[in-house]
């Protein structure tokens, strides 16, 4: 199948806004595990959901025992961090220690499109999964923070005692930024990152036009993992998996970028001949349901 575009993502950063979709009921979704199905159904039923599990359920080969083991490992790690915290006289030194200790313990090798479940299993990570790990740890430490997404990046912003600190998960050497002049310069650079900047010249690479610079929450991150998976599946020319993941992404968040991506997937479907007409109509209907979230979002 010849695709229309290849999607280039840097750390996967694609979104704003949260809306629960009523257009894709859980009964119509394709789940890859009972663990995933139970977590999504609990979320849709507005039941209390384990946030750690919610961040990992997009991982295909994740078992219940692995999830329990990973959570226990993280809790033990956080317990040791909490004990260390008492030895530090200020937040800056403790945050710096935490950043580099997390990197040393968990983040071994950078690999694009890596889910948090894979991070715990192999140590491979990307910008999104690395940032998710830091956010989970800061939550367990009761340290307030903002998860900030821009066009080509996602990072953590922490405000303590009148200062702002940044955490960049994919920079193991200098990823904790405490110098306030450097923080201001970084934030200004990220804020001024307009659409079209650093445009790739490859005509087969699609560059999103929508500008993103927003704080998001942990539910948005759960959606991002599915959106990341949808983009990766599309790049691998697996339309079925891409649509499946896109339907799950909009359960947790919605963004104008979904419209761009959904319409381009639809365009690809219209251009290819290898997919039977009946299957093609089904995919297009499902994409239309995904895009209809935009219409319901707009009238809220």
């Amino acid at each position: 199948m010849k695709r229309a575009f290849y999607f280039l993502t840097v750390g996967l950063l694609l979104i704003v806004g949260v809306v629960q979709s009523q257009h894709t009921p859980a009964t119509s979704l394709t789940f890859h595990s009972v663990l995933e199905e139970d977590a999504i159904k609990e979320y849709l039923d507005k039941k209390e959901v384990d946030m750690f599990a919610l961040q990992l359920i997009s991982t295909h080969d994740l078992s219940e025992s692995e999830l329990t083991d990973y959570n226990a490992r993280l809790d033990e790690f956080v317990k040791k961090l909490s004990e260390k915290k008492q030895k530090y006289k200020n937040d800056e030194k403790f945050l710096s220690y935490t950043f580099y200790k997390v990197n040393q313990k968990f983040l071994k090798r950078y690999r694009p499109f890596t889910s948090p479940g894979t991070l715990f299993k192999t140590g491979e990570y990307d910008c999104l999964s690395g940032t998710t790990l830091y956010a989970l740890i800061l939550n367990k430490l009761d340290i307030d923070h903002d998860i900030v997404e821009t066009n080509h990046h996602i990072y953590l912003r922490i405000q303590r005692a009148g200062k702002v600190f940044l955490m960049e998960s994919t920079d193991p050497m200098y990823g904790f930024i405490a110098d306030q002049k450097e923080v201001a310069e970084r934030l200004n650079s990220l804020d001024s990152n307009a659409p079209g900047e650093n445009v790739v010249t490859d005509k087969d690479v699609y560059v999103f036009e929508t500008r993103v610079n927003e704080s998001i929450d942990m539910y948005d991150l759960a959606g991002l993992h599915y959106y990341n998976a949808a983009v990766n599946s599309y790049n691998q020319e697996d339309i079925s998996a891409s649509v499946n993941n896109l339907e799950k992404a909009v359960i947790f968040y919605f963004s104008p970028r979904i419209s761009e991506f959904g319409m381009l997937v639809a365009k690809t479907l219209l251009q290819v001949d290898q997919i039977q007409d009946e299957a093609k109509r089904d995919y297009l209907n499902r994409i239309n349901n995904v895009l209809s979230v935009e219409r319901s979002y707009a009238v809220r």
Side-chain angles (χ1 to χ4, degrees), residues 35 39 42-43 47-57 64 67-68 71 136 140 219 222:
L35 180 65
E42 287 176 0
Y43 175 77
K47 295 179 180 178
E48 186 174 350
V49 180
D50 180 352
M51 186 55 70
F52 182 79
L54 210 60
Q55 298 306 318
L56 271 67
I57 56 172
E64 185 76 45
L67 179 66
T68 301
N71 201 9
L136 285 166
K140 288 177 179 288
Y219 294 104

Side-chain angles (χ1 to χ4, degrees), residues 114-163:
T114 303
S115 71
T118 302
L119 185 158
F120 278 96
K121 178 177 285 189
T122 69
E124 295 174 317
Y125 70 101
D126 62 9
C127 186
L128 180 60
S129 57
T131 298
T132 300
L133 175 63
Y134 278 108
L136 285 166
I137 290 171
L138 292 179
N139 282 340
K140 288 177 179 288
L141 290 169
D142 292 322
I143 297 176
D144 291 335
H145 59 280
D146 294 312
I147 308 164
V148 186
E149 183 185 22
T150 70
N151 279 51
H152 302 290
H153 195 45
I154 186 167
Y155 65 94
L156 296 178
R157 182 178 61 210
I158 305 164
Q159 300 186 54
R160 308 285 285 188
K163 290 186 176 182

Side-chain angles (χ1 to χ4, degrees), residues 100-241:
Y100 292 109
K101 196 66 178 177
V102 170
N103 195 285
Q104 179 186 40
K105 176 72 174 179
F106 294 99
L107 308 182
K108 305 303 183 183
R109 295 173 299 280
Y110 178 85
R111 184 168 69 86
F113 298 109
T114 303
S115 71
T118 302
L119 185 158
F120 278 96
K121 178 177 285 189
T122 69
E124 295 174 317
Y125 70 101
D126 62 9
C127 186
L128 180 60
S129 57
T131 298
T132 300
L133 175 63
Y134 278 108
L136 285 166
I137 290 171
L138 292 179
N139 282 340
K140 288 177 179 288
L141 290 169
D142 292 322
I143 297 176
D144 291 335
H145 59 280
D146 294 312
I147 308 164
V148 186
E149 183 185 22
T150 70
N151 279 51
H152 302 290
H153 195 45
I154 186 167
Y155 65 94
L156 296 178
R157 182 178 61 210
I158 305 164
Q159 300 186 54
R160 308 285 285 188
K163 290 186 176 182
V164 177
F165 306 106
L166 305 181
M167 287 187 177
E168 313 262 10
S169 66
T170 54
D171 186 350
M173 295 294 292
Y174 307 105
F176 178 71
I177 300 106
D179 180 83
Q180 295 302 284
K181 182 180 179 180
E182 184 180 356
V183 167
E185 291 173 351
R186 291 276 190 118
L187 292 175
N188 183 64
S189 174
L190 291 165
D191 185 57
S192 63
N193 184 26
E197 188 173 327
N198 299 321
V199 173
V200 263
T201 57
D202 189 336
K203 64 182 178 62
D204 291 327
V205 174
Y206 183 83
V207 179
F208 284 105
E209 297 178 359
T210 307
R211 179 175 178 174
V212 176
N213 190 353
E214 299 286 343
S215 294
I216 61 175
D217 63 22
M218 297 299 290
Y219 294 104
D220 295 318
L221 283 179
L224 273 176
H225 296 305
Y226 280 112
Y227 193 71
N228 197 24
V231 172
N232 190 33
S233 297
Y234 178 86
N235 287 341
Q236 300 299 319
E237 303 186 9
D238 188 343
I239 292 293
S240 178

